[in-house]
mmCIF file with all atom_site columns, all heavy atoms in Angstrom:
data_model
loop_
_atom_site.group_PDB
_atom_site.id
_atom_site.type_symbol
_atom_site.label_atom_id
_atom_site.label_alt_id
_atom_site.label_comp_id
_atom_site.label_asym_id
_atom_site.label_entity_id
_atom_site.label_seq_id
_atom_site.pdbx_PDB_ins_code
_atom_site.Cartn_x
_atom_site.Cartn_y
_atom_site.Cartn_z
_atom_site.occupancy
_atom_site.B_iso_or_equiv
_atom_site.pdbx_formal_charge
_atom_site.auth_seq_id
_atom_site.auth_comp_id
_atom_site.auth_asym_id
_atom_site.auth_atom_id
_atom_site.pdbx_PDB_model_num
ATOM   1   N N   . ASN R 1 87  ? 95.101  -43.474 22.776 1.00 0.00 ? 87  ASN R N   1
ATOM   2   C CA  . ASN R 1 87  ? 94.481  -42.201 22.396 1.00 0.00 ? 87  ASN R CA  1
ATOM   3   C C   . ASN R 1 87  ? 92.994  -42.207 22.698 1.00 0.00 ? 87  ASN R C   1
ATOM   4   O O   . ASN R 1 87  ? 92.460  -41.219 23.206 1.00 0.00 ? 87  ASN R O   1
ATOM   5   C CB  . ASN R 1 87  ? 94.678  -41.948 20.898 1.00 0.00 ? 87  ASN R CB  1
ATOM   6   C CG  . ASN R 1 87  ? 96.088  -41.472 20.605 1.00 0.00 ? 87  ASN R CG  1
ATOM   7   O OD1 . ASN R 1 87  ? 96.863  -41.199 21.519 1.00 0.00 ? 87  ASN R OD1 1
ATOM   8   N ND2 . ASN R 1 87  ? 96.416  -41.384 19.326 1.00 0.00 ? 87  ASN R ND2 1
ATOM   9   N N   . ASP R 1 129 ? 86.154  -45.758 19.111 1.00 0.00 ? 129 ASP R N   1
ATOM   10  C CA  . ASP R 1 129 ? 85.827  -45.338 20.473 1.00 0.00 ? 129 ASP R CA  1
ATOM   11  C C   . ASP R 1 129 ? 84.559  -44.509 20.487 1.00 0.00 ? 129 ASP R C   1
ATOM   12  O O   . ASP R 1 129 ? 84.053  -44.111 19.438 1.00 0.00 ? 129 ASP R O   1
ATOM   13  C CB  . ASP R 1 129 ? 87.002  -44.588 21.110 1.00 0.00 ? 129 ASP R CB  1
ATOM   14  C CG  . ASP R 1 129 ? 87.326  -43.273 20.418 1.00 0.00 ? 129 ASP R CG  1
ATOM   15  O OD1 . ASP R 1 129 ? 86.391  -42.475 20.198 1.00 0.00 ? 129 ASP R OD1 1
ATOM   16  O OD2 . ASP R 1 129 ? 88.513  -43.044 20.103 1.00 0.00 ? 129 ASP R OD2 1
ATOM   17  N N   . SER R 1 150 ? 98.080  -32.769 21.622 1.00 0.00 ? 150 SER R N   1
ATOM   18  C CA  . SER R 1 150 ? 97.574  -31.842 22.627 1.00 0.00 ? 150 SER R CA  1
ATOM   19  C C   . SER R 1 150 ? 98.232  -32.050 23.981 1.00 0.00 ? 150 SER R C   1
ATOM   20  O O   . SER R 1 150 ? 97.965  -31.320 24.908 1.00 0.00 ? 150 SER R O   1
ATOM   21  C CB  . SER R 1 150 ? 96.065  -32.046 22.755 1.00 0.00 ? 150 SER R CB  1
ATOM   22  O OG  . SER R 1 150 ? 95.794  -33.408 23.007 1.00 0.00 ? 150 SER R OG  1
ATOM   23  N N   . LYS R 1 151 ? 99.061  -33.068 24.076 1.00 0.00 ? 151 LYS R N   1
ATOM   24  C CA  . LYS R 1 151 ? 99.473  -33.466 25.429 1.00 0.00 ? 151 LYS R CA  1
ATOM   25  C C   . LYS R 1 151 ? 100.895 -33.067 25.797 1.00 0.00 ? 151 LYS R C   1
ATOM   26  O O   . LYS R 1 151 ? 101.247 -33.035 26.967 1.00 0.00 ? 151 LYS R O   1
ATOM   27  C CB  . LYS R 1 151 ? 99.323  -34.984 25.584 1.00 0.00 ? 151 LYS R CB  1
ATOM   28  C CG  . LYS R 1 151 ? 97.934  -35.472 25.277 1.00 0.00 ? 151 LYS R CG  1
ATOM   29  C CD  . LYS R 1 151 ? 97.890  -36.973 25.077 1.00 0.00 ? 151 LYS R CD  1
ATOM   30  C CE  . LYS R 1 151 ? 96.649  -37.381 24.303 1.00 0.00 ? 151 LYS R CE  1
ATOM   31  N NZ  . LYS R 1 151 ? 96.753  -38.775 23.838 1.00 0.00 ? 151 LYS R NZ  1
ATOM   32  N N   . GLN R 1 161 ? 102.061 -38.775 25.469 1.00 0.00 ? 161 GLN R N   1
ATOM   33  C CA  . GLN R 1 161 ? 102.813 -37.627 25.925 1.00 0.00 ? 161 GLN R CA  1
ATOM   34  C C   . GLN R 1 161 ? 103.353 -36.809 24.760 1.00 0.00 ? 161 GLN R C   1
ATOM   35  O O   . GLN R 1 161 ? 103.404 -35.598 24.806 1.00 0.00 ? 161 GLN R O   1
ATOM   36  C CB  . GLN R 1 161 ? 104.002 -38.078 26.788 1.00 0.00 ? 161 GLN R CB  1
ATOM   37  C CG  . GLN R 1 161 ? 103.591 -38.529 28.177 1.00 0.00 ? 161 GLN R CG  1
ATOM   38  C CD  . GLN R 1 161 ? 104.763 -39.003 29.025 1.00 0.00 ? 161 GLN R CD  1
ATOM   39  O OE1 . GLN R 1 161 ? 105.823 -39.329 28.495 1.00 0.00 ? 161 GLN R OE1 1
ATOM   40  N NE2 . GLN R 1 161 ? 104.571 -39.040 30.312 1.00 0.00 ? 161 GLN R NE2 1
ATOM   41  N N   . GLN R 1 162 ? 103.770 -37.488 23.686 1.00 0.00 ? 162 GLN R N   1
ATOM   42  C CA  . GLN R 1 162 ? 104.705 -36.833 22.787 1.00 0.00 ? 162 GLN R CA  1
ATOM   43  C C   . GLN R 1 162 ? 104.105 -36.329 21.479 1.00 0.00 ? 162 GLN R C   1
ATOM   44  O O   . GLN R 1 162 ? 104.732 -35.563 20.776 1.00 0.00 ? 162 GLN R O   1
ATOM   45  C CB  . GLN R 1 162 ? 105.844 -37.796 22.460 1.00 0.00 ? 162 GLN R CB  1
ATOM   46  C CG  . GLN R 1 162 ? 106.398 -38.424 23.713 1.00 0.00 ? 162 GLN R CG  1
ATOM   47  C CD  . GLN R 1 162 ? 107.446 -39.466 23.439 1.00 0.00 ? 162 GLN R CD  1
ATOM   48  O OE1 . GLN R 1 162 ? 108.137 -39.368 22.441 1.00 0.00 ? 162 GLN R OE1 1
ATOM   49  N NE2 . GLN R 1 162 ? 107.562 -40.440 24.288 1.00 0.00 ? 162 GLN R NE2 1
ATOM   50  N N   . GLY R 1 163 ? 102.938 -36.783 21.137 1.00 0.00 ? 163 GLY R N   1
ATOM   51  C CA  . GLY R 1 163 ? 102.378 -36.341 19.862 1.00 0.00 ? 163 GLY R CA  1
ATOM   52  C C   . GLY R 1 163 ? 102.975 -37.062 18.671 1.00 0.00 ? 163 GLY R C   1
ATOM   53  O O   . GLY R 1 163 ? 103.027 -36.546 17.562 1.00 0.00 ? 163 GLY R O   1
ATOM   54  N N   . ILE R 1 164 ? 103.443 -38.262 18.911 1.00 0.00 ? 164 ILE R N   1
ATOM   55  C CA  . ILE R 1 164 ? 104.022 -39.052 17.823 1.00 0.00 ? 164 ILE R CA  1
ATOM   56  C C   . ILE R 1 164 ? 103.156 -40.259 17.525 1.00 0.00 ? 164 ILE R C   1
ATOM   57  O O   . ILE R 1 164 ? 102.994 -40.678 16.392 1.00 0.00 ? 164 ILE R O   1
ATOM   58  C CB  . ILE R 1 164 ? 105.437 -39.561 18.198 1.00 0.00 ? 164 ILE R CB  1
ATOM   59  C CG1 . ILE R 1 164 ? 106.368 -38.394 18.467 1.00 0.00 ? 164 ILE R CG1 1
ATOM   60  C CG2 . ILE R 1 164 ? 106.003 -40.433 17.094 1.00 0.00 ? 164 ILE R CG2 1
ATOM   61  C CD1 . ILE R 1 164 ? 107.772 -38.812 18.805 1.00 0.00 ? 164 ILE R CD1 1
ATOM   62  N N   . GLY R 1 165 ? 102.606 -40.799 18.636 1.00 0.00 ? 165 GLY R N   1
ATOM   63  C CA  . GLY R 1 165 ? 101.994 -42.115 18.635 1.00 0.00 ? 165 GLY R CA  1
ATOM   64  C C   . GLY R 1 165 ? 101.219 -42.511 17.396 1.00 0.00 ? 165 GLY R C   1
ATOM   65  O O   . GLY R 1 165 ? 101.669 -43.364 16.612 1.00 0.00 ? 165 GLY R O   1
ATOM   66  N N   . ILE R 1 166 ? 100.072 -41.895 17.166 1.00 0.00 ? 166 ILE R N   1
ATOM   67  C CA  . ILE R 1 166 ? 99.192  -42.422 16.147 1.00 0.00 ? 166 ILE R CA  1
ATOM   68  C C   . ILE R 1 166 ? 99.716  -42.128 14.745 1.00 0.00 ? 166 ILE R C   1
ATOM   69  O O   . ILE R 1 166 ? 99.598  -42.941 13.831 1.00 0.00 ? 166 ILE R O   1
ATOM   70  C CB  . ILE R 1 166 ? 97.734  -41.919 16.345 1.00 0.00 ? 166 ILE R CB  1
ATOM   71  C CG1 . ILE R 1 166 ? 96.780  -42.789 15.551 1.00 0.00 ? 166 ILE R CG1 1
ATOM   72  C CG2 . ILE R 1 166 ? 97.587  -40.460 15.962 1.00 0.00 ? 166 ILE R CG2 1
ATOM   73  C CD1 . ILE R 1 166 ? 96.742  -44.231 16.035 1.00 0.00 ? 166 ILE R CD1 1
ATOM   74  N N   . LYS R 1 503 ? 109.179 -46.114 25.527 1.00 0.00 ? 503 LYS R N   1
ATOM   75  C CA  . LYS R 1 503 ? 108.281 -46.180 26.682 1.00 0.00 ? 503 LYS R CA  1
ATOM   76  C C   . LYS R 1 503 ? 108.054 -47.629 27.155 1.00 0.00 ? 503 LYS R C   1
ATOM   77  O O   . LYS R 1 503 ? 106.928 -48.115 27.209 1.00 0.00 ? 503 LYS R O   1
ATOM   78  C CB  . LYS R 1 503 ? 106.927 -45.539 26.328 1.00 0.00 ? 503 LYS R CB  1
ATOM   79  C CG  . LYS R 1 503 ? 107.038 -44.114 25.825 1.00 0.00 ? 503 LYS R CG  1
ATOM   80  C CD  . LYS R 1 503 ? 105.713 -43.377 25.935 1.00 0.00 ? 503 LYS R CD  1
ATOM   81  C CE  . LYS R 1 503 ? 104.812 -43.620 24.765 1.00 0.00 ? 503 LYS R CE  1
ATOM   82  N NZ  . LYS R 1 503 ? 103.620 -42.765 24.765 1.00 0.00 ? 503 LYS R NZ  1
HETATM 83  N N1  . LIG O 2 .   ? 90.629  -41.133 19.325 1.00 0.00 ? 1   LIG O N1  1
HETATM 84  C C1  . LIG O 2 .   ? 90.879  -39.830 19.522 1.00 0.00 ? 1   LIG O C1  1
HETATM 85  N N2  . LIG O 2 .   ? 89.884  -39.014 19.933 1.00 0.00 ? 1   LIG O N2  1
HETATM 86  C C2  . LIG O 2 .   ? 90.139  -37.705 20.166 1.00 0.00 ? 1   LIG O C2  1
HETATM 87  N N3  . LIG O 2 .   ? 91.333  -37.124 20.015 1.00 0.00 ? 1   LIG O N3  1
HETATM 88  C C3  . LIG O 2 .   ? 92.377  -37.864 19.595 1.00 0.00 ? 1   LIG O C3  1
HETATM 89  C C4  . LIG O 2 .   ? 92.188  -39.255 19.331 1.00 0.00 ? 1   LIG O C4  1
HETATM 90  N N4  . LIG O 2 .   ? 93.366  -39.754 18.918 1.00 0.00 ? 1   LIG O N4  1
HETATM 91  C C5  . LIG O 2 .   ? 94.257  -38.709 18.956 1.00 0.00 ? 1   LIG O C5  1
HETATM 92  N N5  . LIG O 2 .   ? 93.671  -37.589 19.363 1.00 0.00 ? 1   LIG O N5  1
HETATM 93  C C6  . LIG O 2 .   ? 94.336  -36.272 19.493 1.00 0.00 ? 1   LIG O C6  1
HETATM 94  O O1  . LIG O 2 .   ? 95.459  -36.324 18.652 1.00 0.00 ? 1   LIG O O1  1
HETATM 95  C C7  . LIG O 2 .   ? 96.644  -35.977 19.326 1.00 0.00 ? 1   LIG O C7  1
HETATM 96  C C8  . LIG O 2 .   ? 97.821  -36.680 18.752 1.00 0.00 ? 1   LIG O C8  1
HETATM 97  O O2  . LIG O 2 .   ? 97.813  -38.042 19.102 1.00 0.00 ? 1   LIG O O2  1
HETATM 98  P P1  . LIG O 2 .   ? 99.168  -38.847 19.139 1.00 0.00 ? 1   LIG O P1  1
HETATM 99  O O3  . LIG O 2 .   ? 98.900  -40.232 19.523 1.00 0.00 ? 1   LIG O O3  1
HETATM 100 O O4  . LIG O 2 .   ? 99.875  -38.640 17.845 1.00 0.00 ? 1   LIG O O4  1
HETATM 101 O O5  . LIG O 2 .   ? 100.011 -38.140 20.262 1.00 0.00 ? 1   LIG O O5  1
HETATM 102 P P2  . LIG O 2 .   ? 99.814  -38.122 21.818 1.00 0.00 ? 1   LIG O P2  1
HETATM 103 O O6  . LIG O 2 .   ? 98.772  -39.111 22.217 1.00 0.00 ? 1   LIG O O6  1
HETATM 104 O O7  . LIG O 2 .   ? 99.577  -36.717 22.249 1.00 0.00 ? 1   LIG O O7  1
HETATM 105 O O8  . LIG O 2 .   ? 101.229 -38.558 22.384 1.00 0.00 ? 1   LIG O O8  1
HETATM 106 P P3  . LIG O 2 .   ? 102.004 -39.959 22.142 1.00 0.00 ? 1   LIG O P3  1
HETATM 107 O O9  . LIG O 2 .   ? 102.937 -39.768 21.066 1.00 0.00 ? 1   LIG O O9  1
HETATM 108 O O10 . LIG O 2 .   ? 102.728 -40.200 23.431 1.00 0.00 ? 1   LIG O O10 1
HETATM 109 O O11 . LIG O 2 .   ? 100.962 -40.989 21.846 1.00 0.00 ? 1   LIG O O11 1
HETATM 110 C C9  . LIG O 2 .   ? 96.357  -36.284 20.766 1.00 0.00 ? 1   LIG O C9  1
HETATM 111 O O12 . LIG O 2 .   ? 97.131  -35.472 21.587 1.00 0.00 ? 1   LIG O O12 1
HETATM 112 C C10 . LIG O 2 .   ? 94.853  -36.005 20.883 1.00 0.00 ? 1   LIG O C10 1
HETATM 113 O O13 . LIG O 2 .   ? 94.635  -34.639 21.163 1.00 0.00 ? 1   LIG O O13 1
#
Side-chain angles (χ1 to χ4, degrees):
Chain R
N87 283 352
D129 65 50
S150 54
K151 304 165 200 167
Q161 285 179 341
Q162 311 175 29
I164 299 181
I166 197 64
K503 304 199 275 188

